[in-house]
Amino acid sequence: QWHTRNYFMFSFYSGGIRFGDICCLKWKDIKGDRLSYQMNKNEKVFTIELNEYQKEILDHYNNEKEAENFIFPILNNHTDYSDPSFLRKKIGSQNTLANRRLRKILKKVNKKIKKKDLDIPTLEDISFHVARHSFAQHAVESGLSMYELMQTLKHSKIETTQKYLKGLDEQLADK
C-alpha cells in the first residue's frame, strides 16, 4: 500500500501520468531536474520539471539507479518486455493490484475523516486513473486554462479534456 500511495502521488504531481507510464519509467527518463519520457498510449513526449514532492518520492527508490532500470518496483528489471502484448498484460495485472490497494487505502482514509468534508471517490470509483482526473481538476482550479490543460495531458481533442472536468462547472458557477 505504501508503494501504491507513492505511485499515485507521483502520478498526481507529474501531471496525471497514466499507470502504464509509471510502470515503464526508467532512471534514464530523469534528466537533471526534469522528467522526460515517451507516453505509451500516444507516443507523445512528456516533460515536466520535478518538484520537491516528486523528488522526495524518487529518493525512496534510488537504490538501483541504473539508467535502464525501472524507477518503481512494479515491473521486474530482469524480465524481457520487448513483446508489447506481454508488457500490456503485465501492466494490466499490476494495475488491477494497484487499484485493489487503493481501495484498501481509501477504506483507511474514510475511517479517519468525514466523507462530506472532502470530495473523495467511492470505493467503486477509485482507480489509479483518479490521479489523472484529480490533477486536471486541481490544475484548472489553480488557474490553468482548458487549452493549457489539454496540452499538459497531451490530449488531441479539447472534448477529451472537458470530460475530465464534468463536475467543475457547478463549482465554478458557485464561485
Side-chain angles (χ1 to χ4, degrees), residues 138-163:
H138 175 73
V140 169
E141 288 173 355
S142 298
L144 206 65
S145 75
M146 187 69 68
Y147 178 77
E148 291 168 324
L149 180 60
M150 181 183 107
Q151 296 299 310
T152 302
L153 296 174
K154 301 295 185 198
H155 289 155
S156 300
K157 299 177 184 172
I158 195 77
E159 293 82 10
T160 306
T161 307
Q162 289 170 327
K163 288 178 189 175

Side-chain angles (χ1 to χ4, degrees), residues 10-21:
F10 191 85
S11 171
F12 175 82
Y13 291 126
S14 303
I17 295 177
R18 292 176 183 92
F19 183 78
D21 292 332

Side-chain angles (χ1 to χ4, degrees), residues 32-174:
D33 280 345
R34 297 195 73 78
L35 169 65
S36 183
Y37 70 98
Q38 185 174 352
M39 300 168 92
N40 288 326
K41 184 175 181 178
N42 55 23
E43 299 183 349
K44 294 178 181 177
V45 174
F46 181 84
T47 183
I48 188 170
E49 185 175 11
L50 294 170
N51 63 38
E52 293 309 310
Y53 301 112
Q54 292 161 296
K55 290 175 185 176
E56 185 178 317
I57 292 169
L58 290 173
D59 283 345
H60 294 293
Y61 298 97
N62 67 5
N63 57 343
E64 290 188 46
K65 208 171 174 177
E66 309 271 333
E68 288 300 320
N69 281 353
F70 296 112
I71 293 174
F72 298 109
I74 303 168
L75 299 177
N76 186 321
N77 283 312
H78 307 294
T79 301
D80 179 10
Y81 294 106
S82 59
D83 176 4
S85 147
F86 175 69
L87 176 61
R88 277 192 306 277
K89 189 175 181 180
K90 188 66 174 174
I91 289 171
S93 64
Q94 290 298 319
N95 194 15
T96 299
L97 290 172
N99 289 339
R100 282 187 197 144
R101 291 182 195 117
L102 284 174
R103 283 191 287 280
K104 288 180 181 179
I105 292 168
L106 185 57
K107 283 181 184 177
K108 290 178 182 179
V109 169
N110 281 336
K111 288 179 183 176
K112 293 186 178 190
I113 61 171
K114 295 176 184 160
K115 187 164 176 24
K116 65 182 179 182
D117 294 340
L118 294 171
D119 185 21
I120 297 174
T122 64
L123 286 174
E124 297 80 34
D125 294 335
I126 190 68
S127 72
F128 200 87
H129 205 65
V130 168
R132 190 166 172 82
H133 286 261
S134 297
F135 164 78
Q137 182 135 351
H138 175 73
V140 169
E141 288 173 355
S142 298
L144 206 65
S145 75
M146 187 69 68
Y147 178 77
E148 291 168 324
L149 180 60
M150 181 183 107
Q151 296 299 310
T152 302
L153 296 174
K154 301 295 185 198
H155 289 155
S156 300
K157 299 177 184 172
I158 195 77
E159 293 82 10
T160 306
T161 307
Q162 289 170 327
K163 288 178 189 175
Y164 275 57
L165 304 171
K166 57 186 170 199
L168 193 57
D169 291 342
E170 200 174 284
Q171 292 176 4
L172 289 174
D174 290 347

Side-chain angles (χ1 to χ4, degrees), residues 12-29:
F12 175 82
Y13 291 126
S14 303
I17 295 177
R18 292 176 183 92
F19 183 78
D21 292 332
I22 288 280
C23 292
C24 295
L25 288 179
K26 294 187 174 186
W27 285 107
K28 68 180 182 181
D29 298 324

